Amino acid sequence: MQAAVQSLLRSSEDLKAALEVEVTQLQERGDISSYSADDRSKRILAVVSHRKDYVGDEEGSVLILKRMPDYSIEDLSVEVAYPITGSFSFSVAQASRTTLDLSGSVGETGTTLGQARSELTLTIKYELATDIRSHTLITRDTRKLQSFTAECRRLKDMFSQPFFFYVPNIDSPVHPLIVARNEFDSDFSWLSLYTEESSLKSFSSPIDLRTVNIPLHTQLSSASAGLPGDDAVDISIVRENWIYNEAIEEASTGLSARLLIRTGTFNVNGKMPSQDLSSWLRPIRHDSEKSGWISPLESISPLDILSNPTDEQVTGSLGASSATSAHASLNNDTKVSDPDLLVLGFQEMDLSAEALLYATSTVKEDAWVEAILAGLGEKGILYEKLASKQLVGMLIVAITKKSRLSCFGDIKFSAVGAGIMGIMGNKGATAIRMSYTPLAQEISPSPTVLTFVNSHLAAYDEMLERRNFDFHDLSRRLIFDQTGELDSNFYATTALETSIGLYESDVLFWMVHLNYRINLADGDVRELLSSSQGTGNIPLLLQYDQLKTAIASGKAFTGFSEHTITHMPSYRYASNLSGDSLGYDRKRKPAWTDRILHMSAPSVPVTQRSYCSHPQITMSDHRPVSADFILNIPIVDKQRRETATSKLYRELWGLEHSSKIPKIKLQPITLDFGKVYYRRLIRQTLSIQNDGHIPCVYRFVGADAEQPICPQWLKIHPVAGLLRPGELSTITVTVFVDNSSASQLNLALPRLNFTLILHTALGKDHFISVTGEYQYTCFANKLTRLTRLPGPVRTMKSPNDGVPARRPVNAPREIMMLINWLMTHVTDPINLFSRPLEESICINIRECLDTGDPFPSPKSGEDHSPLATAIASTLVQLLDSLVDPVVPPYLHARCLQMTSRDEAFELLDKFPPESVNVWISLTAFLHYISLQKSPSQSSTDQANMNMAERLATVFAPVLLRDDSTGLHTPVSPIGKRKFLLHFVS
């Protein structure tokens, strides 16, 4: 018992006495002489003392602890805690009564009936300002009771004693000042840690997703070497984050439950259901998936050959590696299974003027729910409506399998208008919040909170800023009341303190008719969609998508994820024969207005399986969109998580007030990365150990407030953390040189030297030296510099080494090496820029360009297509890495004005000299390649034109790269292609 109680205490608290007692349900009546064994409830009384490490005063408290139901003696929780002050008192009395002792087994000899036993009653009182709290308890252990009462008296006497201050005096070195102690001299703040309310209040609802998904170090105060920020606040932030994750890990069962969710959005344009909805509602089988939706295409441009490997998405420790639960109901077939939950959002269900008055009729909702169940076919009988919420023309419906119905609970709703005058319900959002608790044996799992939003934002291309505003406005106003449904049009600032925010969820899905459009001319959009490349132009169109731009700029939907779009725009289709060749309305520019986005906590891994539109359903001018998700929900013991949270809070509380200095040990303190190459990742680790007696919070800081923690080419993980005494952890330091950092390193001395500064909160700074030898590269340079290099860039010893003052060469030798090899060896250009790449070959090609070594030659009879693809892709990479594009942005608008080949050639006089040389060499090569025929194809004008268009698709956005500074307005991608085709076709 004592060991179990001691395990709950922090190092600054000592257990002085512990006593097992019983309470009865009848104690409030004062009748303790007549009760049955069923009325009893066991408790543990503990006397605990606390000594401040910087003063030495001792404070005492009595804790009343209870054992958690169905748990062992080690699983205790604090029911109430009273400080031992002048307001605390106790009394002991003796009561004799006849009890029935059934401790002996049947057949044992001896007296068991009518056995007289003596029990002692202990009454504890604590006087409050307006009330007296009292507990009457029963015990038989007189020895431990004596110890308990003796410690209570001692600590109360100590509280009542005066204490001394020593102050300076003119006549003597020190002068004692005697002060009587009262109730306010001790704050007993340490005692708050032993109340369940204070230790668990932070996790009564999930942490805001906008907080949990941003890097921890960005939430900390501004700090630099020698100038720490607010260490106390930083300790609190890191501690909260660490406890949240550590409690989940300690309470994890190692099992996970899989939940299949299908979401959908459909603007029905005021129509009632008149078609089969099965293609929208039922998941696509893997064996027929290719015919059901457009699978992700390999980009025709080789620019995306390597994503930055340092931008890794880190999932929680309870992610995909968790074992799947053995419970049969938690598992689904490994193939595509029917969804466990369908959540569908409808917009424009009612376009009548009367609907703006928030009509509450459910006629249309009932019709659509009936159509949904019918669309599920023979499996519709397995499903049941879980919840729904309607606001004028917006409806969100949740339908679940009957077998999972018991897993869902705590369902809440919210709805706000954002239409006419900013409040009418023709625009706005409806939302449903629910908890999902997996079925599990022997434990009560922690619920996972799921939130679904269905919204309809402002229309028209020019209303972009209004759509961004509506998103933030809805994010603020969509709140859920803890006590019931909240249906309001007032702002969150006027809501009750008990309301729950939209982002206080484990997973948030936003199914929307967003009305975000494409920032291109109508003709360009239609031409790209209807060209021979078809869906191959979708990635290019998405570069001009307003939603993608808003997310990238942080203006709206920051932190949300969206699966790669591979389907045609879902809006706006013509309802008659007046549409264009693809069926789109000629008066409205096609756009992806119907979208599904999501955001999740790291502890709940979410995998998206599909994202597609359903052109078979033609009743509206929109096409419905669906998305399938798999949630691997870790099964976490709810009770153990709460216990772990309380324990960890007590262990780490008061760290910012400790008089002890945190100490850490780093090994090594020097990291030498050797030779550092362009786009080659190198990792090293250093160990950090808490070498002190108190928990330690650490973070990396910059040399001064204006400098970053580390240069662009260096990454650290983690940047901040917490260590218990004696704990050892590993920090990963990664070097990766991309175009941005290479453009700076190419102009600096090759020796890399940087000092990382690791700051311990309320402690000192530590320094780690990072060194390396940068290997110059021809990538990420200016054309003017490449044309003036005397030889291979790797032969340079300094940035200005050997740069001649003579006239530059006609074109950079590196570009000419690539072009000459391709013109000599490529005979089949059809898939030259679309075949899969082997990064190891690309690394070798880049090394040859930098050193001047010849390219590798394929062996006799060996397929040289991988090498050809690598060289072609390296050519595109080199051109795209140039600091300035081949065609300066200030000339882009002029390029689009050229209507003939002759005019285009005349414009070359306006190009910088180095750009002219590269342009002529490259377009001559592209023209030559476009005339080459595949062995399986005939050489015709149409075939050559198609090849020229494919080449223009790859090279035009690279040669005429948009201005990243925003000084020059981007021009039409179609116009860029046409200008290049004047030289190529």
Side-chain angles (χ1 to χ4, degrees), residues 137-319:
L137 310 162
I138 302 168
T139 184
R140 302 185 189 90
D141 194 330
T142 57
R143 183 177 60 83
K144 290 186 177 179
L145 178 61
Q146 290 175 352
S147 177
F148 173 86
T149 56
E151 281 296 327
C152 287
R153 291 191 185 96
R154 183 184 69 83
L155 289 168
K156 186 172 182 179
D157 290 343
M158 179 170 291
F159 178 84
S160 302
Q161 292 176 359
F163 59 94
F164 298 86
F165 279 122
Y166 289 91
V167 296
N169 185 276
I170 298 176
D171 302 325
S172 60
V174 292
H175 178 73
L177 179 64
I178 304 175
V179 182
R181 191 192 301 266
N182 58 48
E183 298 287 340
F184 303 100
D185 292 326
S186 301
D187 60 8
F188 284 92
S189 58
W190 60 273
L191 200 54
S192 64
L193 296 171
Y194 295 96
T195 60
E196 182 177 356
E197 204 171 287
S198 67
S199 61
L200 295 180
K201 61 184 178 181
S202 300
F203 302 120
S204 58
S205 186
I207 297 179
D208 191 306
L209 286 170
R210 294 168 298 185
T211 299
V212 76
N213 281 315
I214 63 175
L216 177 61
H217 70 277
T218 62
Q219 305 174 40
L220 305 181
S221 63
S222 176
S224 60
L227 294 173
D230 192 331
D231 278 353
V233 172
D234 294 342
I235 288 172
S236 177
I237 294 172
V238 174
R239 178 173 55 206
E240 289 276 327
N241 178 274
W242 186 87
I243 290 175
Y244 175 80
N245 293 300
E246 185 69 16
I248 292 177
E249 185 172 347
E250 289 189 13
S252 174
T253 63
L255 308 176
S256 64
R258 190 172 69 160
L259 181 67
L260 304 183
I261 299 178
R262 186 172 181 86
T263 57
T265 179
F266 190 9
N267 185 314
V268 300
N269 194 29
K271 303 294 193 303
M272 292 291 281
S274 58
Q275 285 185 277
D276 178 18
L277 303 178
S278 59
S279 63
W280 181 45
L281 301 173
R282 304 187 70 171
I284 302 161
R285 303 290 171 181
H286 286 306
D287 54 2
S288 61
E289 192 168 272
K290 292 183 179 179
S291 62
W293 69 295
I294 303 172
S295 54
L297 301 175
E298 293 178 359
S299 174
I300 192 170
S301 171
L303 296 179
D304 304 324
I305 66 160
L306 180 65
S307 61
N308 193 332
T310 63
D311 296 335
E312 299 170 348
Q313 293 183 347
V314 181
T315 58
S317 60
L318 301 176

Side-chain angles (χ1 to χ4, degrees), residues 672-809:
D672 186 359
F673 284 87
K675 293 183 177 180
V676 175
Y677 296 88
Y678 171 72
R679 294 194 71 85
R680 292 199 213 174
L681 186 145
I682 312 174
R683 283 195 179 100
Q684 289 195 29
T685 61
L686 59 91
S687 64
I688 175 173
Q689 184 174 21
N690 186 341
D691 205 28
H693 300 288
I694 60 172
C696 170
V697 168
Y698 67 88
R699 61 179 294 196
F700 285 90
V701 298
D704 59 59
E706 303 300 323
Q707 288 189 3
I709 294 172
C710 58
Q712 280 185 309
W713 48 269
L714 199 62
K715 296 290 184 293
I716 311 166
H717 181 79
V719 181
L722 182 148
L723 294 173
R724 291 159 153 171
E727 184 177 359
L728 178 69
S729 184
T730 298
I731 296 175
T732 302
V733 182
T734 304
V735 168
F736 183 79
V737 179
D738 58 11
N739 287 335
S740 179
S741 52
S743 64
Q744 301 176 35
L745 294 177
N746 284 333
L747 302 178
L749 293 173
R751 185 63 181 171
L752 300 178
N753 284 293
F754 190 81
T755 300
L756 295 173
I757 305 167
L758 188 142
H759 171 68
T760 54
L762 302 177
K764 66 177 185 178
D765 293 342
H766 301 261
F767 302 92
I768 303 105
S769 175
V770 178
T771 61
E773 195 73 25
Y774 177 64
Q775 307 297 296
Y776 288 127
T777 180
C778 60
F779 290 79
N781 279 286
K782 289 189 175 183
L783 270 178
T784 51
R785 187 165 188 267
L786 291 179
T787 59
R788 298 176 67 88
L789 293 179
V793 67
R794 193 66 58 75
T795 61
M796 297 173 56
K797 303 301 181 183
S798 70
N800 300 316
D801 185 27
V803 177
R806 59 182 176 82
R807 183 178 179 180
V809 296

Side-chain angles (χ1 to χ4, degrees), residues 350 354-355 357-363 365 389-392 487:
D350 195 339
E354 295 82 2
L357 300 177
Y358 289 77
T360 57
S361 172
T362 62
V363 173
E365 174 185 340
K389 180 63 182 174
Q390 183 176 356
L391 175 66
V392 189
D487 189 352

Side-chain angles (χ1 to χ4, degrees), residues 257-260 324-325 327-340 401 404 436 630-631:
R258 190 172 69 160
L259 181 67
L260 304 183
T324 304
S325 173
H327 196 285
S329 63
L330 298 183
N331 296 311
N332 290 284
D333 190 276
T334 54
K335 299 179 181 179
V336 176
S337 300
D338 296 317
D340 302 307
K401 282 182 177 178
R404 295 294 183 100
Y436 176 77
I630 300 178
L631 273 62

